[in-house]
Amino acid sequence: MTLPAQVQIVEVGPRDGLQNEAVILPVETRARLIELLAHAGLRRIEAGSFVSEKAVPQMAGAAGVLASIRLLQKPRLAALVPNVRGFDAAAAAGVDEIAIFAAASESFSRRNLGCGIEESLGRFAGVAAAAKHAGLPLRGYVSCALGCPYEGEIELGRVTDVARRLNDLGCYETSLGDTIGVGTPLAARRLVERVAQSIPIERIAVHFHDTYGQALANIFACLEVGISVVDSSVAGLGGCPFAPGAAGNVATEDVVYMLHGCGVETGVDEGRLLEATRFISAILDRPPESKVARARLGSEALSRRPCAPNASSA
Ligand code: HMG
Ligand code: MG
């Protein structure tokens, strides 16, 4: 068995996590979360998205979030954009990286993006051209890579096709999203092996939601076949407003604990990461989903109110 010596964690909590919360957090709070995650050593953080405020009101004000971040050493901050309008706003706000998000399921694409897969890839071609022109790195997502909330099982060929198209558009990395968290380790590994026939494995990342508690096992199975970039979310926050019933992303704390326990470097300081967990759990007024955070923080996670602006109801 071979594991990579190092794994890059892509922290998606400020975007995938907060987009699914019932409350809309003030931009200063979202910025503070990003600062704490950066203090913990996370070098790649998804800061928000530049999408329709009607579709995802929780992500409104993403430019304000970016403007409010105060850090001497900034991590690479990415933002999700659905079209060129989103790209223009993200670029003007000073993001370091653009993320585009297609789906392997036609039904999910229509609900999430208001158009089918083919049309979405056409829009993303415009974003890719703009990103190239601006010199901004482009990352891609394939949602519903292991199942769709509307169509059920998705053929591997469909996932591979969309991943290859994103790669061809210029994505330096494509993240395979188990949007509804139904995957199991052998299915996850088969998926990666199949996509790796079309895209070099170094350009593939994995993105597991943890609805059925399989995410850590899935990640481990993928690391064994050469994956070394993993998306995760502080406190296990997350979900997609267009994937009903889906749980949060795998918790960053749990991924980091597993990796460090296996001798794999991440650059993340586990103690400092818990500061971010404590902060956001207190803001949201509920315990973290992360097992590691629960074990380490216990009831303390909720007993201290942080010095930060409070959440306001949506
Ligand atoms: P639409 O309704 O089909 O099309 O939305 P539209 O062009 O008529 O736009 C609707 C409204 O949005 C209009 O405003 C536009 O001006 C505005 P109105 O006239 O009604 O006042 N609009 C925008 N506003 C701000 N920024 C923009 C923008 N574009 C249009 N960039 C659209 C199409 C794509 C805009 C919409 O469906 C949308 O924003 N979708 C985003 C959905 C989303 O963010 N989903 C969650 C992220 S995906 C995810 O979580 C999965 C992932 O984690 C991986 C995984 O887990 O698998 C990445
Ligand atoms: Mg997701």
Side-chain angles (χ1 to χ4, degrees):
M1 182 188 71
T2 327
L3 292 177
Q6 289 181 339
V7 161
Q8 280 184 45
I9 306 274
V10 179
E11 169 61 50
V12 297
R15 193 278 303 171
D16 205 341
L18 299 184
Q19 77 179 9
N20 206 40
E21 287 298 325
V23 291
I24 300 177
L25 299 185
V27 294
E28 296 79 10
T29 306
R30 286 148 65 189
R32 182 68 188 139
L33 174 62
I34 292 167
E35 289 168 0
L36 289 169
L37 292 165
H39 286 315
L42 287 149
R43 305 310 308 150
R44 297 180 62 182
I45 301 178
E46 239 175 38
S49 36
F50 290 81
V51 299
S52 156
E53 291 187 17
K54 283 184 193 150
V56 189
Q58 295 88 339
M59 289 290 103
V65 173
L66 286 152
S68 304
I69 296 168
R70 300 275 171 269
L71 285 169
L72 286 179
Q73 227 199 337
K74 260 189 22 174
R76 180 150 33 126
L77 297 173
L80 235 62
V81 310
N83 48 26
V84 172
R85 173 171 164 186
F87 171 84
D88 288 341
V95 292
D96 304 306
E97 177 173 308
I98 298 292
I100 53 179
F101 48 112
S105 148
E106 195 65 24
S107 311
F108 183 79
S109 179
R110 290 190 185 282
R111 285 188 171 76
N112 197 38
L113 289 165
C115 64
I117 298 169
E118 207 50 49
E119 192 178 335
S120 77
L121 290 168
R123 290 183 193 171
F124 290 135
V127 174
K132 190 173 180 194
H133 188 251
L136 284 173
L138 188 69
R139 182 176 206 245
Y141 280 103
V142 186
S143 290
C144 302
L146 285 166
C148 167
Y150 311 105
E151 295 181 19
E153 231 172 273
I154 298 290
E155 279 169 35
L156 286 188
R158 289 166 67 187
V159 184
T160 307
D161 184 49
V162 176
R164 189 174 33 76
R165 303 267 303 269
L166 290 172
N167 183 66
D168 292 349
L169 283 180
C171 291
Y172 77 91
E173 186 174 281
T174 298
S175 186
L176 304 176
D178 184 8
T179 318
I180 53 172
V182 289
T184 47
L186 296 185
R189 181 183 296 176
R190 264 197 304 274
L191 168 72
V192 165
E193 286 176 332
R194 177 73 179 268
V195 175
Q197 289 170 9
S198 298
I199 302 177
I201 193 133
E202 305 75 42
R203 297 170 73 115
I204 304 173
V206 290
H207 177 108
F208 292 109
H209 287 259
D210 202 24
T211 318
Y212 288 84
Q214 304 293 300
L216 278 182
N218 292 344
I219 290 169
F220 195 84
C222 295
L223 296 179
E224 284 185 311
V225 292
I227 288 291
S228 60
V229 183
V230 174
D231 300 357
S232 63
S233 172
V234 63
L237 299 174
C240 175
F242 304 94
N249 293 85
V250 63
T252 307
E253 302 87 325
D254 298 355
V255 175
V256 168
Y257 178 88
M258 177 181 81
L259 292 172
H260 290 179
C262 294
V264 178
E265 283 178 31
T266 65
V268 177
D269 180 310
E270 294 181 48
R272 285 188 164 191
L273 178 57
L274 288 178
E275 294 298 316
T277 315
R278 187 184 280 131
F279 172 80
I280 196 61
S281 300
I283 291 283
L284 297 173
D285 203 16
R286 63 164 193 271
E289 293 296 327
S290 157
K291 293 264 193 194
V292 168
R294 283 180 185 226
R296 291 195 166 155
L297 294 176
S299 56
E300 184 210 350
L302 289 177
S303 64
R304 282 200 214 161
R305 303 298 302 186
C307 306
N310 284 326
S312 62
S313 288

